[in-house]
Structures are given as structure tokens and as C-alpha cells.
Amino acid sequence: MTCLLRKSLRTKALSPFLHKLVGNSSESHHTLASTCWFWCHQSSHSLPQKTNPCFSSNSIPSSRFSNALLQIRFWVSEAAATEPSTSDGLTVQKILANNWNILDENDGDWKSHAAAVAQSINLIKRRLQWEKLKVRLDMLSFQLGKEDLWDDPVRAGKISREHGSLLGKMKEVNALEQELLEHIDMIKLAREENDADLESESLKVLLNMRRDAKEKELEALLAGEQDSCSCYIEVQAGAGGTESMDWASMVMQMYKSWAQRRGYKVTLMDEMPGEIAGIKRATIKVDGEFAFGYVKAEIGVHRLVRISPFDSNKRRHTSFAAVAVIPILGDGSTHVQINESDLRIERFRAGGPGGQHANTTDSAVRIVHIPTGVTATCQNERSQHQNKASAMAVLQSRLDQLEMARQAKFNAQHTESLTDITWGSQIRSYVLHPYRMVKDLRTNYEVSDPDSVLEGDLDGFILSYLSASLDKEDDA
Amino acid sequence: MKLTLSSVYRPHSFPKLLNCSSFGILGRPFCSSALSSSPTCVKPQVPLFLRPPIYSTKLCDLKKWHDWAKGVSLSIGSTFVQSDNGADSNMLCRELKWLMEDAVEDHSLGMEDDDRVKMRIDIEELYCLWTQRVQERRPFQYVVGCEHWRDLVLSVQEGVLIPRPETELVVDFVSDVVSENEDLRSGVWADLGTGSGALAIGICGVLGSEGGRVIATDLSPVAVAVATYNVQRYCLQDKIDLREGSWFEPLKDMEGKLAGLVSNPPYIPSEDISGLQAEVGRHEPRLALDGGIEGMDALHHLCVGAALMLKPGGFFAFETNGEQQCCALVDYIKSRSGRSFCNLEIRADFAGIQRFVIGFHQ
Ligand SMILES: C[S@@+](CC[C@H](N)C(=O)[O-])C[C@H]1O[C@@H](n2cnc3c(N)ncnc32)[C@H](O)[C@@H]1O
């Protein structure tokens, strides 16, 4: 009997791989849903009524479809309802309640590993807002099952995508939980049977799970709908002339370095230099996975205290710079439709007759979206056409963000544009004189080496903010 | 070679360079007898960014050059802006960044000062180039040998007009027209005075692979050579037919057959030439700029020819010097060949200047 169990559990040890399969299957569920839709949709137009006397052409595919969905839904709620446990009734909650000592990875016994994994699972659930996630998933499953779902294909696509993604997340955590309990079973069994090999093997697996779960904790910080997007970062100098403009350019430089260190691609879109030094305002694009998820932690006003290099009397100055972040929604998302006729496209130039008279490499373009007054500028490309295309992309993201804010589907504070950010909403303070420190006013996270922060070492600030803002919500 | 700031920046002692291109034919822009002359084989230059990276330099030397060039650029302030609407320091610094982009092969981060950087040009040469840019006001695009125009990167060199951002819009007009007219999309188009080939290549792009052909003409052998080079770079030899000659002269076989006709002909009034921005007046070919006393010699000629060459329903777009020429051209068309054309329209560029006249053949 040990043998049998052992075998079945060994198969389970393959689970990272299986995991992937599970992940994939939720993906394929989603593709299935959309392909299915195309099929339904076409058939409702192309199938003449009479070819199928029993059903209306509409109802066959969609009812078949909703059956499949009902099954999925059933499966989900079932999975959620019965809390997984070991053969002797141990659950993740009970492990946590036991308060087992968590030792260092290297000298941990199985209880220590198990407790660490259980803690991670608990944290991940909290970060994913587990209860809300379940409610939302149920709601989406219900929507997916509705007959009229495909009347609005755009909305249907959205629902199906979100459903797929949430289901994936939920399955991943459930699998982690399941795996933990199975390995506990395994270890207990190995001890009963005095099987040292099996015990050490299972211990190793537990240790791996512990590391794996730690990483997943981080991933769970970035589980928001837009978190995986690339983004734009905008920095604007506060009042105070050159001193603030210099500060604004230091802040921008800090983000450029941070992004480059993380392996993101950074592109300068637009920059309005100060007369003497620094920038009045600038926009960069940060390309790569989870750029928005991280950078959204930086939205707000950043304050600097230092002896100003621009003050001949060497006085201490306080300057401000505002930071706004705009997610760049992926192709899969619904974008705000922009009408060509609502746009006014302008080019800055120094007057003069232009055309053949002038040779300039400056082809900055500004686009105004007349109905909303939203504008976007790009000057960094080498052709007017490309500047226009880049400015259009910025404009699109701004309008998308505006729309998200309007629908209030989105955590309101992450939708603030530069103009909304009040100069009162300080998030962080950088002091170079009389002492040296950078302190986040939201989390109280602080660092005593401002240079490293200004050189882009921001991860500590970002992660502490993200965990603080998610972990405080007590709904797991 | 070590150049110091002071040796480079002496704006008031610049030698007055004379434009060295020949203007022989300018008095008679439509005279085709000047054509029979040189079958001179002009060899187009390869733009900097396409040259092989056979040079290398220490990173610290490159940085030194960069700091020097930046210093030179900053010292210009708004001197050029005030003297003739030229570039300011900011613009020069941006050009400097682009020059680096084109000259340096690998931009990898984390290199040490002593590491060698692969380059497409010798570092000494970079000093010369930037001196030319700032001291002689040589256009940036000639310095790097290319201009980014629409989504194209076109080779340019002395003797060929650097395509202007305004002109990009002509391609948009064509794109709009052909998007709702399959007949025009699949027809033959002409770009007269093609220069670097910008319009011809841009239009070819919007006609699409299923679309028609473009015939491009120019009187200047350098222009034809450079345009040929650009056409080859975009592999459009089968689509674009380059012909050397004056305006419609090389198009005799196309009478009444053209689906569309575009041109950005020389339109600057002769008397304005001497006061042009240094980059333009001292370095760009006069043949590409001087439009005769009123600046409209070529435009008039083109309008008359358009009536003859376009097929019924054919489209035309011409770039002009601004509002005055646009209005004058519309009047000219109405009075001379009023019934040949319809839907005449004046369109503005992005700076809000009325720049283009467009319309259809009846
Ligand atoms: C203003 S440039 C335009 C070049 C190019 N189409 C562009 O937009 O960048 C005018 C062009 O017309 C050409 N040109 C001048 N006189 C001409 C003539 N008589 N016949 C044909 N081309 C001529 C010049 O060589 C020059 O390339």
C-alpha cells in the first residue's frame, strides 16, 4: 500500500510541469471560448433556420457552450468549497494556527518548510484578494453562461479573458496548497515506514516549494488587471524654477536607471528642457512585462531637500517633482475609439515660411483631442510621421486611462494624470542636507544612502509600498 | 587633431561660402536641351548608419569627443535662431545624440572607459563632421547622409534636396484618395522632381503591393542617382521607374494615362534665395529651390501639364510656398483650364500654413 501511494505521490512531484499544463488549460479554455464565439456568431448568420429544425440557429452553439461553462463553474466552486487536507485532516489554516517555528531554509525540518509554504499561500491569497476573487470569478462564470453573452462581442471577449486569467490564478494557488498537503502526507508516511530515502526526497521537494512560493508571493503583488502592461512615466517640475527643474531631471534619471537595471527598454518621448538646467516636464516609455505594476507605486509628489547648486549663497532649498504613470493597454484590451476628425495636429516651429525655406531636424508634433482637451506631444523621433505616431500612442493611452477612471473599475489613485496630482500628495522625501536619507511617507520605508536611490535602486521602496497597500486589506 | 572650443566657435568670422552647385539651367527650368549633356555617372554615397563598423575607438575617447561636441553645441545658444531661424543648442544636442546613434555600432551598457567601441567612422572624422555641422552650418542630414522621413530612412547627399516634414502630408493625401478608389490605387502615378525619391517611395508604400506603379523624374543626375539608390534599398525597382529629364519630358508615353500626379517643385522666389537659412542657402542645390521670379514657374508648368497627362478622375497634389501661392495657383488653374479640374482644395501643413493645392481631373 505504501508503494502504491508512493507511486501516486511521485507522479505528483511532477507537478511544476503539471502546473504548466493547468495554466495552459485555462488559456486554452479562453481561446476555446473565443473561437467558439466566432463559430456561434457566424453560424447564426450563415446557417439557414431550416437546416436545423429542432433549434434556432442561435441556441445550439451557445447552449452547448454554456453547458461547458456550467461544468467549469461547477468545478471551480467545488474546488473552492472543499478545503483540501491531509489524510489526517491537516489544512493550511491549521498549519498556520499551529505556529510552527520557521527556521532558516538550510536547517529547517519539514514543519518549518511546511509552515513557510503555508504562510506564503496565506499571503498570496491575501494579495490576490482571495474572497473578492472568488466572488468575481463566480460572477464572471455566471455572465459567461448567459444566453445573450455574445450579443456584445467586445464585452464577451473581455469577460472571457478576465475569467480565464482569474481562473488560472486560482488554480495555481489551489495546486500549491494541494501539493503541500500531499507532501506532508508523504513525509508522515515515510516516517511510519522508516523509509529514509523517501523522507529526504520529500523534504527536498518541500524546500523547493518553499522557494517557489516565495517567488509567487512577489508575483501576487502584481496581479492587477493592468499590472503586466508597459507604461509611460511623466515627470513634471514643481514651482521653484531651475532648482525644481533640476530635481525633475534627477527624478527622471532615477527612473531611467531603475528601468534599465530591470532590463526594460526606455524611450524618451518628449522633453521640455528648463532654460538653465533640468526639465520642466518629460515623458518616457518603459517597455516590458510588469512595468506598470511596479511603477504605479511611484505616482505622486517627490520632495528634495538640499543645498542648491544654483544658489550662490548656498542656502538649503526644498523642491518638488510630480510623477504620473499611464499604463499602455495591450492589444487584447478594448481601447477608446478615436475619431480622426476629433483631432487637431500641430507642429511647433519658429515661424517663417517653412517648407523649402527651412532645414530643421525638429519635427515635434502635438495632438489635441478636441472633445476632451487631452493632448500628447512627441519630439524625440527623427521624422514628423514617427513623432505623430508616437504622440498618437501616448494620446491613446491617456484617453484609455481617462476612460478607465470614468468607469472607476480601476483603483482610483493609479489613474491620476499629472494635472490631478495635487502638490500636497507627497509620497517620498529625499534629504541630502543636513542629514542624508530617503523616506517613503506612505510606508515609512527608509534608506540612508540617497545616492543609491537616485541611481535607480528603488525596488525596496516599490515592493514595500506594493505589499503594504495589498497586505493591509484584510480579506483573505 | 585637437580642436578647441574657441577654434570652432567663431560665428562672426565664418567664411561666406558660395553655393557651389551649378545653376546653368535655372533661368530656363523647362528647357530640355540642357538634358542631352552629361550622362555623368554619379556614385551615391552610403549613409553613415549603413557603413560597416570597421573602426574602433576607446570609450573614453568617444566620450571626450562627445563632451567636446556638446560644449560646441551649447556655446551656440540661440545665435543661429536669431540670425536666420537656424537650430538652437537643444536641437544641436539632439542631433548629436542621433549622430552617435548612427556612428556607433554597439550601444551596450556597462562598458569601461578602456573598452573599445565599434564605429562606422573614424573618431578623427567625427571631429571634422561636427565642425562642419556647427561652423559651416552643413545640414545635419548631409552630415549623417540620411534623413528620416515618414517611416523611411532615405539617403541624401549634397546635390539633393533634404525632404521636408511638410511634404510627408502629400503621401497622406494620396493614401486617403486611394483608400476609397481602387481604380486610382492600381493606376500609374508620377512624382515630378523626385529629389531623393521620397514621395515616389512613400506613395508606392500606400499603393501597396497590389497597387500601381510610380514614375519619378528629375532633371538633376545626382537626384536620379540618389533616388535610384533609395529605391533599391526599399526593393522597389519593379515598382518605381526613374527617368532623368525635365518635368513631363520623360513622360510623353503617359499622356492622358496618369492616375495621379504629385510634385514638390522648386517654389522659392529668386530674390528670397540669398536670405535663406544657412543650411539651405549655402548647402542645398539651387535647382531644387529656386522657382523663378514669383517662385511659380514650375508650378504653372506642372498645372498645365497635369491637364494633359492625367486621366479622367485622376488626382493631383502640389506643394507650394504658402497661402499666397496656393491662392494664386487655384486662380491660375480656374482661369486657364477651369473645366479640366474639379474639387480643387487648399490644404494646410501641421504648422497651420496653407501649403498644398489638391484636386481631380474632370
Ligand atoms: C524641392 S525639390 C523636391 C524634391 C523631392 N520631391 C522632395 O520633396 O523632397 C525639387 C526637385 O525638382 C527638381 N527639378 C528642378 N527643376 C526640374 C526640372 N526642370 N525637371 C525636373 N525636375 C526638376 C530638383 O532637382 C529637385 O530635386
Side-chain angles (χ1 to χ4, degrees), chain B residues 180-217:
Chain B
E180 40 201 52
N181 190 326
E182 240 350 275
D183 190 38
L184 293 186
R185 181 195 289 280
S186 54
V188 179
W189 288 69
D191 168 23
L192 303 192
T194 194
S196 60
L199 280 173
I201 297 173
I203 287 172
C204 221
V206 299
L207 295 183
S209 51
E210 305 285 296
R213 292 185 306 128
V214 182
I215 304 174
T217 74

Side-chain angles (χ1 to χ4, degrees), chain B residues 81-130:
Chain B
V81 180
Q82 278 150 17
S83 76
D84 60 14
N85 242 333
D88 66 359
S89 291
N90 278 328
M91 209 47 246
L92 288 171
C93 288
R94 202 177 310 157
E95 290 176 6
L96 185 59
K97 195 187 100 199
W98 292 336
L99 175 55
M100 292 272 281
E101 266 173 30
D102 284 6
V104 178
E105 196 213 12
D106 54 297
H107 303 259
S108 39
L109 297 163
M111 287 209 294
E112 302 290 329
D113 273 3
D114 279 335
D115 291 345
R116 296 197 79 85
V117 190
K118 282 201 184 160
M119 311 252 293
R120 305 179 190 283
I121 187 171
D122 193 59
I123 183 96
E124 296 293 306
E125 221 115 7
L126 278 179
Y127 281 95
C128 298
L129 285 182
W130 201 246

Side-chain angles (χ1 to χ4, degrees), chain A residues 273 345-347 349-362 379-386, chain B residues 85 90-91 94-95 97-98 102 141 148 150 162 164-166 168 264-265 267 276-277 280 321 350-351 355:
Chain A
I345 299 168
E346 298 167 349
R347 177 173 172 210
R349 57 178 311 149
Q356 288 164 18
H357 288 261
N359 173 294
T360 171
T361 44
D362 181 8
Q379 58 176 192
N380 211 53
E381 301 284 348
R382 280 167 80 163
S383 88
Q384 175 177 274
H385 187 78
Q386 307 282 38
Chain B
N85 242 333
N90 278 328
M91 209 47 246
R94 202 177 310 157
E95 290 176 6
K97 195 187 100 199
W98 292 336
D102 284 6
Q141 299 90 337
H148 291 233
R150 289 187 69 87
I162 297 158
R164 304 291 198 253
E166 286 87 345
E168 289 183 347
N264 171 24
Y267 54 60
L276 285 174
Q277 185 197 332
V280 182
N321 199 28
F350 287 158
R355 178 70 63 198

Side-chain angles (χ1 to χ4, degrees), chain B residues 177 180-181 184 313-317 330 333-334 337-347 356-362:
Chain B
V177 165
E180 40 201 52
N181 190 326
L184 293 186
F315 172 80
F316 75 87
V330 169
I333 294 172
K334 282 187 179 152
S337 35
R339 262 170 297 132
S340 307
F341 294 105
C342 60
N343 300 338
L344 290 181
E345 250 185 83
I346 294 177
R347 293 282 179 92
F356 310 96
V357 175
I358 63 175
F360 290 87
H361 198 223
Q362 288 283 11

Side-chain angles (χ1 to χ4, degrees), chain A residues 73-94:
Chain A
R73 202 176 134 199
F74 174 70
W75 185 88
V76 170
S77 25
E78 189 190 41
T82 54
E83 208 186 342
S85 65
T86 59
S87 49
D88 55 2
L90 195 59
T91 64
V92 167
Q93 283 313 312
K94 284 184 189 156

Side-chain angles (χ1 to χ4, degrees), chain B residues 32-207:
Chain B
S32 52
S33 65
L35 297 175
S36 48
S37 61
S38 58
T40 30
C41 193
V42 186
K43 205 169 170 284
Q45 289 160 20
V46 178
L48 178 56
F49 82 103
L50 286 177
R51 292 183 209 161
I54 51 175
Y55 304 93
S56 84
T57 190
K58 277 206 251 160
L59 184 63
C60 57
D61 289 334
L62 184 63
K63 277 186 184 156
K64 209 190 287 170
W65 168 78
H66 182 263
D67 292 346
W68 165 80
K70 189 155 181 177
V72 173
S73 313
L74 289 176
S75 73
I76 296 304
S78 56
T79 319
F80 298 163
V81 180
Q82 278 150 17
S83 76
D84 60 14
N85 242 333
D88 66 359
S89 291
N90 278 328
M91 209 47 246
L92 288 171
C93 288
R94 202 177 310 157
E95 290 176 6
L96 185 59
K97 195 187 100 199
W98 292 336
L99 175 55
M100 292 272 281
E101 266 173 30
D102 284 6
V104 178
E105 196 213 12
D106 54 297
H107 303 259
S108 39
L109 297 163
M111 287 209 294
E112 302 290 329
D113 273 3
D114 279 335
D115 291 345
R116 296 197 79 85
V117 190
K118 282 201 184 160
M119 311 252 293
R120 305 179 190 283
I121 187 171
D122 193 59
I123 183 96
E124 296 293 306
E125 221 115 7
L126 278 179
Y127 281 95
C128 298
L129 285 182
W130 201 246
T131 309
Q132 289 169 354
R133 172 70 192 105
V134 178
Q135 190 169 19
E136 291 165 24
R137 305 278 306 271
R138 187 181 181 205
F140 175 73
Q141 299 90 337
Y142 289 159
V143 168
V144 291
C146 74
E147 166 69 328
H148 291 233
W149 191 84
R150 289 187 69 87
D151 48 357
L152 308 168
V153 184
L154 299 165
S155 168
V156 292
Q157 68 189 54
E158 267 80 3
V160 178
L161 186 102
I162 297 158
R164 304 291 198 253
E166 286 87 345
T167 311
E168 289 183 347
L169 280 179
V170 173
V171 180
D172 289 335
F173 302 150
V174 175
S175 172
D176 289 348
V177 165
V178 300
S179 74
E180 40 201 52
N181 190 326
E182 240 350 275
D183 190 38
L184 293 186
R185 181 195 289 280
S186 54
V188 179
W189 288 69
D191 168 23
L192 303 192
T194 194
S196 60
L199 280 173
I201 297 173
I203 287 172
C204 221
V206 299
L207 295 183

